Amino acid sequence: MLKIGIDIDGVLTDEGPDHDNIWLQKMNNYFDKQIKKVEDTYQLAEAYGLQNEELNAFLEDELANIYREARPAIDACETLKELKAKNAELILITARNKEFKELTLNWLNEHDFPFDELHHNKDKAPLAVKKGIELFIEDNQSNALEISQNQIPVLVVNKYHNKNLKENNKIKRVNNWQEIRKHIFALSVDTVSNKFF
Ligand SMILES: [Mg+2]
């Protein structure tokens, strides 16, 4: 039974294109000015040229709305259902604060995502090891790197903030869930078929 670790934001959610993502849309409304991405980093204040105080006020008011209104990534739900039907174990690990657990569960249920466990944990690599996760799907560059350094293969969903992460035998880049699906099923046939499915 393949144990798959899955991130939520930017992996199960579709945040939209770089130039018009849900964060930018909310920031533009909130600050009532045209916000632009100035740095290719995961750190929101640096990425969008905001003061930390501005960002904190924004997140305080808007983070729950962003989580609540996020669209599911195309084909994500269908792929998870297909994996579930093959007895894969789906372990969701998000860095979202625990205070958003109920909101996150509601969102997952509302969009009909199947999963076995949901963990709110910023330190993903040790948990992935502890859980015996055999494949991880992630978009955060440092998480992906650290998980891969623990010998767990990672499918990295392409984003502006992870473009410096290089592929290697534990890191593969993907653009969408069709590609994720292809990788997982190729894995299951090519190398680990007897063990997993
Ligand atoms: Mg993410």
Side-chain angles (χ1 to χ4, degrees):
M1 185 160 75
L2 182 61
K3 273 195 183 187
I4 308 176
I6 306 165
D7 173 39
I8 294 183
D9 290 294
V11 172
L12 289 187
T13 70
D14 175 5
E15 297 178 315
D18 285 2
H19 63 277
D20 188 28
N21 63 47
I22 188 166
W23 299 91
L24 260 176
Q25 290 172 7
K26 290 286 186 193
M27 283 178 197
N28 283 330
N29 282 338
Y30 186 82
F31 295 111
D32 199 22
K33 63 179 179 186
Q34 195 65 35
I35 307 271
K36 284 204 168 66
K37 181 163 67 63
V38 289
E39 295 255 6
D40 287 332
T41 169
Y42 194 78
Q43 303 306 321
L44 285 171
E46 286 172 44
Y48 296 104
L50 298 170
Q51 300 298 317
N52 283 327
E53 305 77 63
E54 288 181 303
L55 177 67
N56 290 340
F58 167 73
L59 292 177
E60 179 75 22
D61 287 355
E62 291 294 338
L63 191 54
N65 292 330
I66 290 174
Y67 289 158
R68 201 176 291 120
E69 294 168 24
R71 291 189 315 248
I74 291 172
D75 292 331
C77 185
E78 292 71 16
T79 305
L80 294 198
K81 284 179 177 168
E82 199 177 350
L83 289 165
K84 207 58 234 161
K86 293 195 178 289
N87 291 320
E89 199 171 324
L90 308 175
I91 301 174
L92 310 186
I93 304 182
T94 177
R96 288 181 181 185
N97 195 295
K98 271 199 179 71
E99 71 180 281
F100 297 114
K101 183 147 197 161
E102 197 185 334
L103 189 164
T104 301
L105 283 168
N106 287 341
W107 186 90
L108 290 164
N109 290 332
E110 183 191 330
H111 294 289
D112 207 23
F113 278 102
F115 60 95
D116 295 283
E117 298 175 21
L118 169 65
H119 299 272
H120 287 251
N121 194 322
K122 289 184 176 25
D123 205 6
K124 295 189 181 187
L127 182 59
V129 171
K130 188 171 143 201
K131 285 281 164 190
I133 284 170
E134 294 156 294
L135 175 73
F136 211 105
I137 309 166
E138 175 65 66
D139 70 331
N140 177 284
Q141 180 164 320
S142 52
N143 285 338
L145 184 63
E146 202 185 330
I147 293 164
S148 74
Q149 286 167 341
N150 281 274
Q151 306 310 314
I152 300 169
V154 185
L155 297 178
V156 178
V157 180
N158 280 326
K159 296 283 161 65
Y160 67 83
H161 51 71
N162 64 34
K163 64 184 187 186
N164 294 324
L165 189 63
K166 299 228 169 358
E167 286 196 322
N168 59 34
N169 66 339
K170 288 282 181 282
I171 296 178
K172 291 283 169 271
R173 293 188 156 280
V174 289
N175 286 307
N176 52 47
W177 274 89
Q178 284 182 348
E179 291 183 18
I180 292 170
R181 185 189 173 283
K182 227 163 68 185
H183 271 283
I184 296 176
F185 282 88
L187 245 183
S188 70
V189 173
D190 290 343
T191 54
V192 287
S193 56
N194 297 328
K195 191 172 162 201
F196 296 139
F197 292 147

